[in-house]
Amino acid sequence: MSSMTGKSAGPPLPHAVEGERAGEVRAIGRLIVAFLLAATLAGLWEGATRHQGGGLVNGLKASEVGFAMILILLGSVVEGFGYGLSLGTRWPYTRNIAVLMLRGDPEATHRLVATLVGLVALALAILSPGITTITGLLLVVITALFGMGTLYVLAGRAPAFVHGTHGLLAYGVFLTYLVGLVYPGVDFWTYFGAMGALHALLLAVFLGGMTTGQRGFGQTIGPFVQPQKASQWTVAAHVGAALLLVATLGWLMPAYPIAFYLAVGQVAVGFLLFHAVNLKPKDPGVIVAFHQSMVLLMSLAIVLQWH
């Protein structure tokens, strides 16, 4: 096994994106830049319009929520267009990572945005030390370490559990700052412990990450009725978790109606994604990002109590 500090054994592992997808990747790249600018402006607006104290801190929290969402979406773009090993198992940077980002490599962009998330988390922990900001910073650090591990999952050198945990932690970062922004002064862990809807959602997130890790880089899952291999059993567990999420949100109706309808629609999107992975396992395309965006919207709908 190569060292996790960045030197791979043998030739580098290429990404698997196909030529006809390049236009889509560039278009998504421009959209990501727009999202980053929007998150920055949202933070500036929140900081400037906060009449009571804490304008700078709340502005940074608002931007951090946006950056964390963008980071999760970038992870789905990396998966959807086959860039998971575009930098091999080198982590966190390569000498020309900024050039690769400008050329449209979403994995390079993913790592640099992750750096931005980490720097903002550090600034918040320094400016406003408390349970939310300290929790957020610790989660960012642990998420980054598991992010390194996902490279080894894709290279077939680490278990799928690492990939699932990375996705779970990434949502933990997003939710920590979102709750801290929306409910200032509320203990995050107390809030999270009382939110059964989020528990069901995060279980589905974890098993979704496990599904990606278990099938392996560029590998098909294969159609099935009765699961026959590990990747199919993982898909079955993920579908079960998705149905549990629908049932949980349905049981809690009318508390989270938008989240419930999104969850129902997400089941259908998940089946489309399953077929896309089997048709084009190396780069199933933008449907991966759409699937992930639905989860982000459900998270927002639950925390913000959209009706």
Side-chain angles (χ1 to χ4, degrees):
M1 180 183 292
S2 63
S3 167
M4 285 195 178
T5 58
K7 294 183 179 179
S8 304
L13 295 164
H15 62 76
V17 73
E18 297 181 0
E20 67 269 19
R21 300 281 197 180
E24 291 179 58
V25 174
R26 284 194 294 270
I28 291 172
R30 288 190 286 270
L31 189 61
I32 292 295
V33 170
F35 285 163
L36 285 169
L37 289 173
T40 302
L41 291 173
L44 292 172
W45 176 264
E46 176 70 17
T49 57
R50 176 70 63 168
H51 297 299
Q52 298 179 350
L56 175 59
V57 169
N58 280 282
L60 286 173
K61 283 182 183 178
S63 289
E64 185 77 329
V65 170
F67 295 153
M69 292 177 66
I70 292 164
L71 188 60
I72 291 170
L73 283 174
L74 275 168
S76 65
V77 173
V78 167
E79 177 191 346
F81 292 92
Y83 278 87
L85 290 172
S86 65
L87 306 181
T89 51
R90 298 175 181 85
W91 185 90
Y93 309 115
T94 61
R95 287 180 302 175
N96 60 341
I97 191 168
V99 174
L100 291 172
M101 180 189 71
L102 293 173
R103 289 178 178 174
D105 187 326
E107 172 63 5
T109 307
H110 181 70
R111 297 193 195 185
L112 290 175
V113 172
T115 302
L116 177 61
V117 168
L119 291 173
V120 175
L122 178 61
L124 282 167
I126 293 171
L127 292 170
S128 180
I131 190 166
T132 296
T133 56
I134 299 300
T135 295
L137 179 58
L138 289 174
L139 284 174
V140 167
V141 172
I142 300 169
T143 304
L145 293 174
F146 272 88
M148 172 180 62
T150 61
L151 301 175
Y152 290 86
V153 175
L154 296 177
R157 304 173 194 168
F161 170 83
V162 174
H163 204 291
T165 303
H166 176 64
L168 181 64
L169 289 167
Y171 269 87
V173 172
F174 161 58
L175 289 170
T176 298
Y177 290 108
L178 178 62
V179 171
L181 180 67
V182 177
Y183 305 109
V186 173
D187 183 303
F188 171 75
W189 292 108
T190 301
Y191 173 87
F192 179 72
M195 294 296 291
L198 286 180
H199 301 167
L201 184 144
L202 291 176
L203 175 62
V205 166
F206 171 72
L207 289 169
M210 281 281 292
T211 299
T212 300
Q214 192 67 61
R215 77 179 178 92
F217 185 65
Q219 300 298 312
T220 186
I221 296 170
F224 66 92
V225 176
Q226 171 67 39
Q228 300 295 326
K229 55 184 181 179
S231 61
Q232 293 176 348
W233 281 108
T234 307
V235 169
H238 181 48
V239 171
L243 294 176
L244 176 63
L245 174 60
V246 172
T248 300
L249 292 170
W251 176 263
L252 294 172
M253 286 285 275
Y256 309 110
I258 292 180
F260 172 75
Y261 296 127
L262 285 169
V264 171
Q266 181 76 312
V267 173
V269 175
F271 279 107
L272 292 176
L273 176 56
F274 174 76
H275 289 295
V277 166
N278 284 325
L279 287 172
K280 301 197 75 173
K282 291 183 178 180
D283 57 331
V286 74
I287 191 170
V288 180
F290 183 72
H291 189 63
Q292 195 68 258
S293 67
M294 294 276 282
V295 183
L296 287 168
L297 287 173
M298 274 187 275
S299 303
L300 288 168
I302 291 170
V303 175
L304 300 178
Q305 298 183 343
W306 287 345
H307 287 81

